[in-house]
Amino acid sequence: MVTLDLRRLRLLREFEERGTLGAVAAALDYSPSSVSQQLAVLEREVGARLLEKAGRGVRLTDAGRLLAQHAGVLLAAAEAATADLAALGGEVRGTVRAGGLQSATRRLLVPAVARMSALHPRVRTEITEIELEQALPGLRLGTIDLVISDEYDGHPRPRPAGLRFALLHEEPLKLVLPPGHRLAGPGGPVALPELRDEVWTASDRGTGHHDMVVGSCRSIGGYEPDVRHRSSDADVQLELVRTTGAVALLPALTLPTTQDPALAIRDVAGQRLGRRLVVVRRDGPSPPALTAFLAVVTGQAHHLGTAGNGGRT
């Protein structure tokens, strides 16, 4: 009779998802040799070759892919059993591993951790600033419990199978100009076509924010923007506006919460451009600790929506 060790099955699933021993090792804080040794033990336990050479690395054999599929079912069952057992207890306890993009981490996750400490002191919360694309393997495998991601009007994200997406918060996009800009003086909305000759700052190429800035200037303004500066850190983009005279199009949550005389923040004239924050987690039952954390995060998002957000001119 074959006895399957769930820890080694998890390593196999990690390898199926991540593709290299090095990536598995980095994700789980192991050494590549340790991962290789544990998978070799699994091969001996099941009596089948699970990995084979592929160039300078290794890949799953047919037996490896078959066992990895079964491993996914077994690990999901173990997770559901753990959730059911935890629900029987009176006190909420456990570990929640959450991640999110910068603004969501700062404005939603960090306050949620503080609130959880007060409401449920036996719950351990771990927060990582991470983009959804980076977090997908961990979400699928259970090493991350939830991620707060974003999507912009006209640029919806894919919805991979096995994950649940729920709307958390909606907010407008704002134009950010240096206060001495010719269009900053009146204080009213600014039309994108008026910014044809400006230098822009945006996030890195390939990100939703970069695509949104370029796409909005093309479709609404009728021009190709001169995106000369790129950073996925909104604070860096704001500093570029302050010091270099660049312009930016940013979500309200990324803006200063108090008045900054070095920035002129304006609505976009004639258009409703917005961003949605979504919470992403695996399908299936949630343990009480994760359910409690989701409730706290949702409450924090509701508070942001009712209190208003974004900087002022």
Side-chain angles (χ1 to χ4, degrees):
M1 177 180 177
V2 176
T3 300
L4 296 174
D5 185 302
L6 287 179
R7 293 170 298 178
R8 285 191 273 273
L9 288 177
R10 180 170 292 281
L11 288 176
L12 188 68
R13 279 282 291 128
E14 290 274 353
F15 181 81
E16 180 188 43
E17 183 69 32
R18 300 182 189 276
T20 69
L21 296 175
V24 174
L28 301 181
D29 200 22
Y30 290 172
S31 68
S33 61
S34 296
V35 175
S36 181
Q37 290 167 10
Q38 289 299 309
L39 291 175
V41 172
L42 183 59
E43 286 185 323
R44 292 196 294 271
E45 288 176 341
V46 302
R49 192 178 178 193
L50 304 176
L51 301 174
E52 62 185 5
K53 284 286 186 180
R56 300 177 64 180
V58 293
R59 64 187 177 193
L60 291 174
T61 63
D62 289 342
R65 285 189 290 272
L66 178 63
L67 184 58
Q69 293 174 8
H70 285 292
V73 175
L74 293 171
L75 290 167
E79 185 177 309
T82 301
D84 288 344
L85 287 171
L88 292 176
E91 186 177 21
V92 178
R93 62 178 67 198
T95 298
V96 175
R97 297 165 294 269
L101 66 157
Q102 184 191 61
S103 57
T105 300
R106 181 167 52 192
R107 302 292 299 276
L108 290 171
L109 293 180
V110 171
V113 171
R115 183 65 175 155
M116 282 293 291
S117 296
L119 293 176
H120 305 290
R122 302 299 297 273
V123 175
R124 172 188 171 95
T125 52
E126 302 174 1
I127 301 300
T128 302
E129 185 182 320
I130 191 171
E131 296 285 341
L132 178 61
E133 289 79 8
Q134 298 171 289
L136 281 175
L139 275 171
R140 294 192 184 102
L141 294 163
T143 55
I144 299 177
D145 297 306
L146 70 89
V147 172
I148 298 178
S149 185
D150 63 355
E151 57 184 16
Y152 293 90
D153 288 345
H155 297 84
R157 287 186 179 272
R159 297 293 196 263
L163 298 178
R164 185 180 305 173
F165 288 68
L167 178 64
L168 192 61
H169 179 72
E170 293 183 279
E171 60 179 342
L173 299 178
K174 302 284 187 176
L175 283 167
V176 188
L177 314 173
H181 192 279
R182 59 186 174 82
L183 297 174
V190 173
L192 277 178
E194 294 292 320
L195 301 174
R196 172 185 298 273
D197 298 323
E198 303 299 328
V199 172
W200 286 81
T201 177
S203 295
D204 297 331
R205 286 189 179 93
T207 63
H209 180 262
H210 184 277
D211 292 345
M212 177 276 297
V213 170
V214 173
S216 297
C217 289
R218 287 172 178 169
S219 62
I220 299 171
Y223 58 90
E224 191 72 19
D226 179 7
V227 182
R228 200 173 299 181
H229 310 299
R230 297 176 182 85
S231 173
S232 292
D233 187 327
D235 290 337
V236 172
Q237 292 192 46
L238 292 172
E239 190 61 22
L240 284 162
V241 175
R242 294 186 186 99
T243 60
T244 73
V247 300
L249 181 59
L250 289 168
L253 281 187
T254 66
L255 302 178
T257 55
T258 58
Q259 184 170 348
D260 186 337
L263 298 172
I265 299 171
R266 300 288 183 262
D267 291 332
V268 180
Q271 301 289 331
R272 199 290 180 189
L273 297 177
R275 178 179 79 155
R276 292 171 296 283
L277 295 181
V278 292
V279 60
V280 187
R281 59 191 178 97
R282 293 182 308 283
D283 276 333
S286 296
L290 179 56
T291 299
F293 188 75
L294 279 168
V296 170
V297 170
T298 301
Q300 178 65 18
H302 178 72
H303 171 73
L304 288 177
T306 55
N309 47 57
R312 298 173 297 168
T313 55

